[in-house]
């Protein structure tokens, strides 16, 4: 993608900005001025840190946002800057509380009242969600869920008995874990996931956006410990995963059946010792008898079953995927009965094309 | 004249209580949240989208997101439920503007991400963030250079990408990035200073 590239390290020396200095905390950090060359994909030597303002203001297009988050994962100076500046963005909308409205660049100025029935509509939508529960399949005596390989699961489930939505203690986040019989070959991986510390994962779930799925994935590989410590300790491994030109990413998006807010990024490395990771967000948490399942698709061939997983309360998950995923042309996600299926039994919710292109 | 900071703190605590109730699936609490912040949520969405129907859709979606993800909200967070809701509104509205699918986890407020990386109780901004009044934010905006302010406002309130800002203002892309970055730093410095923006301007940063 062709973009205007700056030459300078600092903003243009226009008269009203000439004496603006970057904060001391940034300029004094050894890594800040010159980013390591091997981490840049399309960006030139001056670029990565400068995007932090645009990033936080959501002024970066998708591909640049992903690139910046990948950079953020391995740049402590930028992590510091994100931490400093993110709260500033949070308070910006407060000016809208002022009456009269202050002059803000751009249009419009005159803001109408929202429709008087908006409140009612919201509550009605919320009550719809409350009563929408899935079929309740009871687990078998040994705790395993028998996968219904032959049964067609209707998408709009009929409640056998209405069950109130479970209450959750504040701040608790469930990690994305597989249920029942996983179709991945590495059973010990999933065991280690279930032992991870919950408090740490709460922080991790929120940090996934800032530092990218890479941190999450590495942390899920059985490395229990403080997320901060992991970021620092694993910087080299992260850089290795991203690689100079070896790590690429593919974007997933929802189909007409999938949640409109959902998206996913498949980070895959062409290096054999680093498992690719699928990071998903915006997915709808499923009822207890269903899991999501990833499918590998090569051209017109039948989809090959991949790992099953669930999403946390925030609708996010990070799923290690088969290392040969680059040999496929597409991936897809469906919601299947617990334990997964040998062939998709439900409509595809998410799909992504793996043509080696990034973003 | 800035709001009483104690009132702001009390409001934030009330908001936390509302969020706890929402976590417990009390939809009356969600209605209360709408009564408090539905108007400003709509105002933000309307600025970004320019039409009422779409803005209402986005507000509805935002409150639904709050409902669905209430369990991931942590009471006691600096700033509280209002910035969380508004960041959700902002993200959804930008999605709509740009017609793209997007990670819902982006709607987790960046403040939570920032603080989850490291608990920074000594950070001067943290200390005041919960009590900052609308007038203070507006006053802080006036301390930015005209170019910085324009860039920040076009990005945040009009939802433009940096490329769009560059085209609109005629500035090079890198300059726009710098203005956004420095503008945010300036705002932070001004807002973190409890003496207030007027005194801050006479202080270290000049301009």
């Amino acid at each position: 993608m062709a973009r205007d590239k700056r030459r300078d390290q600092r903003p243009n020396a226009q008269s009203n900005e000439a004496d603006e200095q970057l904060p001391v905390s940034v300029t004094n950090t050894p890594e800040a001025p010159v980013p390591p060359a091997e981490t840049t994909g399309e960006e030139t030597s001056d670029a990565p840190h400068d995007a932090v303002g645009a990033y936080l203001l959501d002024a970066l297009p998708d591909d640049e946002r992903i690139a910046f988050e990948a950079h953020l994962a391995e740049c402590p100076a930028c992590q510091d800057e994100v931490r400093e500046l993110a709260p500033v963005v949070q308070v910006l909308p407060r000016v809208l509380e002022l009456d009269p409205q202050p002059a803000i660049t751009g249009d419009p100025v005159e803001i109408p009242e929202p429709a008087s029935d908006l409140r009612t509509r919201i509550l009605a939508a919320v009550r719809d969600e409350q009563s929408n529960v899935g079929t309740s399949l009871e687990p078998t005596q040994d705790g395993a869920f028998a996968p219904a390989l032959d049964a067609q699961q209707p998408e709009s489930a009929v409640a056998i008995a209405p069950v109130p939505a479970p209450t959750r203690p504040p701040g608790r986040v469930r990690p994305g874990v597989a249920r029942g019989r996983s179709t991945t070959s590495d059973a010990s991986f999933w065991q280690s996931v279930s032992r991870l510390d919950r408090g740490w994962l709460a922080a991790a779930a929120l940090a996934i956006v800032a530092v990218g799925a890479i941190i999450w994935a590495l942390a899920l590989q059985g490395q229990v410990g403080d997320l901060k410590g992991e970021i620092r300790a694993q910087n080299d491994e992260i850089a290795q995963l991203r690689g100079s030109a070896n790590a690429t990413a593919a974007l997933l998006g929802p189909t007409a059946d999938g949640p409109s807010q959902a998206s996913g990024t498949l980070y895959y490395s062409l290096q054999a010792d680093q498992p690719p990771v699928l990071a998903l967000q915006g997915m709808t948490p499923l009822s207890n008898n269903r899991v999501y399942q990833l499918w590998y698709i090569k051209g017109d061939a039948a989809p090959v079953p991949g790992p099953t997983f669930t999403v946390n309360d925030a609708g996010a998950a990070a799923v290690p995927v088969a290392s040969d995923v680059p040999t496929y042309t597409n991936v897809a996600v469906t919601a299947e009965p617990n334990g997964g299926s040998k062939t998709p039994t439900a409509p595809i919710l998410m799909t992504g094309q793996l043509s080696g292109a990034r973003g | 004249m800035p709001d009483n900071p104690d009132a702001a703190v009390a409001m934030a605590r009330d908001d936390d209580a509302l969020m706890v109730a929402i976590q417990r699936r009390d939809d009356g609490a969600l209605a209360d949240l709408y009564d408090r912040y539905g108007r400003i949520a709509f105002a933000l969405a309307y600025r970004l989208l320019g039409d009422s129907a779409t803005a209402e859709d986005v507000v509805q979606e935002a409150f639904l997101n709050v409902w669905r993800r209430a369990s991931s909200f942590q009471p006691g967070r600096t700033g509280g439920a209002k910035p969380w809701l508004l960041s959700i509104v902002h993200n959804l509205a930008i999605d709509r503007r740009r017609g793209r699918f997007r990670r819902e986890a982006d709607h987790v407020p960046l403040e939570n991400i920032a603080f989850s990386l490291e608990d920074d109780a000594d950070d001067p901004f943290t200390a005041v963030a919960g009590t900052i009044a609308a007038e203070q934010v507006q006053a802080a905006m006036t301390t930015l250079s005209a170019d910085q302010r324009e860039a920040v406002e076009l990005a945040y309130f009009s939802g433009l990408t940096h490329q769009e800002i560059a085209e609109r203002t005629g500035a090079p892309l890198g300059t726009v990035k710098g203005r956004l970055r420095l503008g945010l730093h300036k705002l932070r410095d001004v807002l973190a200073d409890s003496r207030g923006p007027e005194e801050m301007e006479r202080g270290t940063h000049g301009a």
Side-chain angles (χ1 to χ4, degrees), chain A residues 6 50 58-59 64-65 69 81 94 97 105 115 119 127 129 206 210 228 232 261 263 281, chain B residues 23 27 35 56 61 68 71 82 98 100 102-104 113 117-118 132 153 162 174 181 185:
Chain A
R6 289 193 51 242
D50 246 10
D58 206 0
E64 293 185 53
R65 174 171 55 84
E69 284 171 351
E81 221 173 328
R94 293 204 194 171
E97 298 167 31
T105 313
R119 185 185 196 272
R127 283 165 195 153
E129 298 236 332
L206 297 172
K228 299 177 287 185
R232 296 188 187 111
Q261 299 307 313
S263 68
Q281 293 90 2
Chain B
Q23 286 164 355
D27 56 18
D35 291 336
E56 285 164 11
E61 218 174 326
R68 285 180 200 137
S71 55
K82 176 164 67 173
R98 300 198 191 150
R100 67 173 196 236
R102 187 193 166 115
R103 304 168 302 169
E104 193 169 274
I113 295 159
L117 290 179
E118 204 165 299
I132 288 175
E153 289 181 345
H162 57 14
R181 186 184 186 190
H185 275 289

Side-chain angles (χ1 to χ4, degrees), chain A residues 112-135:
Chain A
E113 291 292 319
S116 52
D117 67 344
L118 179 56
R119 185 185 196 272
T120 314
R121 286 184 345 225
I122 290 172
L123 290 174
V126 158
R127 283 165 195 153
D128 274 352
E129 298 236 332
Q130 278 281 65
S131 60
N132 188 23
V133 293
T135 56

Side-chain angles (χ1 to χ4, degrees), chain A residues 166-174 198-199 201-203 206 313-314, chain B residues 15-25 66-77 84 112:
Chain A
T167 59
R168 304 190 191 282
R172 180 173 172 192
V173 173
R174 275 183 298 114
R198 285 180 184 279
L201 277 169
L206 297 172
D313 293 348
Chain B
D15 288 349
D16 284 350
L18 272 188
M19 286 307 304
V20 170
I22 290 170
Q23 286 164 355
R24 297 195 181 126
R25 305 287 95 181
V66 166
W67 179 258
R68 285 180 200 137
R69 306 210 323 263
S71 55
S72 66
F73 174 84
Q74 301 188 34
R77 273 283 180 232
W84 194 52
N112 282 353

Side-chain angles (χ1 to χ4, degrees), chain A residues 89 100 163 168 190 194 231 288:
Chain A
V89 178
V163 176
R168 304 190 191 282
W190 296 112
S194 65
I231 291 171
N288 283 347

Side-chain angles (χ1 to χ4, degrees), chain B residues 142-164:
Chain B
T142 65
T143 68
L144 268 54
S145 74
D147 291 331
Q148 289 169 347
R149 180 174 175 180
E150 177 186 49
V152 169
E153 289 181 345
L154 286 177
Y156 188 83
F157 291 102
S158 297
L160 301 191
T161 64
H162 57 14
Q163 181 65 42
E164 289 167 340

Side-chain angles (χ1 to χ4, degrees), chain B residues 2-18:
Chain B
D3 284 346
N4 179 3
D6 292 336
V9 170
M11 188 72 147
R13 244 184 262 126
D14 284 349
D15 288 349
D16 284 350
L18 272 188

Side-chain angles (χ1 to χ4, degrees), chain A residues 194-265:
Chain A
S194 65
R195 284 200 293 270
L196 286 173
D197 174 69
R198 285 180 184 279
W200 173 89
L201 277 169
L206 297 172
I208 188 174
V209 175
V211 300
I214 306 302
I215 302 270
W216 174 267
L218 288 174
L220 282 176
Q221 286 169 20
Q223 292 170 23
V224 179
D226 182 40
L227 178 64
K228 299 177 287 185
E230 288 309 311
I231 291 171
R232 296 188 187 111
Q234 299 299 329
N235 270 348
D236 290 346
E237 210 167 325
I238 294 163
Q240 194 183 14
L241 178 66
R242 294 305 303 167
S244 49
N246 288 341
T248 57
L251 291 179
L252 276 71
T255 63
D257 296 300
S260 59
Q261 299 307 313
S263 68
T265 309

